[in-house]
Amino acid sequence: MVYRAEYNRVAVYDYACRWWNDRNMNFPNFTDDCTGFVSQCLLAGGIPMQYTGNVESGWWFRRTHAYESWSYSWSVAHSLRWYLASRDAADFARTVDEARDLMIGDVILYDWNGDGIWQHSAIVVGHDPKGEPLVAAHTANSFNRPWRYETSPSWSVNTKYVFFHIFD
């Protein structure tokens, strides 16, 4: 897949502002909705879905008049982490080493226990006065939250992060 559209960070920000504390009924409402929300933000910014019809591949959501389906990467943090690192996403995403290198519309994934299983995702919506990213997320709805999540009951000293920059 070749990504040719420009990523619209303003559209991502606007979407996150509108929906961080609510659910867009055009999409499934998951109990743990962090990755569904991040996927919606990426889509709002212009990242094209990669529909495969197989829940284990691509990054997609489909709705017909009577049926909804989606890929694991649309709704599960662990799957989104590996999709963004895959060749399928190489045209629009890459990892960066430092959170400070992230821009509005970039993605952070969280492995709370450091065991290699990624449990949470968030979208960058701004920066604090020191240049550290602020994020928005669902599940525990938040906006302009410090990216490290150290006040979360899920956070531990073993927490690991992966940072994805989305190409403009």
Side-chain angles (χ1 to χ4, degrees), residues 40 51 125 148:
Q40 292 169 42
Y51 179 74
V125 293
R148 292 183 195 276

Side-chain angles (χ1 to χ4, degrees), residues 65-85:
H65 42 36
Y67 181 72
E68 288 182 337
S69 60
W70 52 85
S71 63
Y72 293 145
S73 60
W74 181 270
S75 61
V76 178
H78 188 76
S79 296
L80 179 62
R81 186 264 183 261
W82 292 109
Y83 173 75
L84 291 175

Side-chain angles (χ1 to χ4, degrees), residues 12-78:
V12 173
Y13 179 82
D14 290 347
Y15 190 91
C17 283
R18 167 61 184 94
W19 294 106
W20 75 269
N21 202 28
D22 201 358
R23 297 296 189 266
N24 183 338
M25 298 314 293
N26 292 314
F27 297 97
N29 184 10
F30 304 109
T31 301
D32 293 328
D33 192 46
C34 61
T35 305
F37 175 68
V38 167
S39 289
Q40 292 169 42
C41 290
L42 291 170
L43 185 64
I47 299 300
M49 283 191 250
Q50 182 192 17
Y51 179 74
T52 65
N54 178 344
V55 298
E56 295 181 2
S57 66
W59 174 76
W60 55 272
F61 160 75
R62 286 284 161 109
R63 173 181 281 151
T64 64
H65 42 36
Y67 181 72
E68 288 182 337
S69 60
W70 52 85
S71 63
Y72 293 145
S73 60
W74 181 270
S75 61
V76 178
H78 188 76

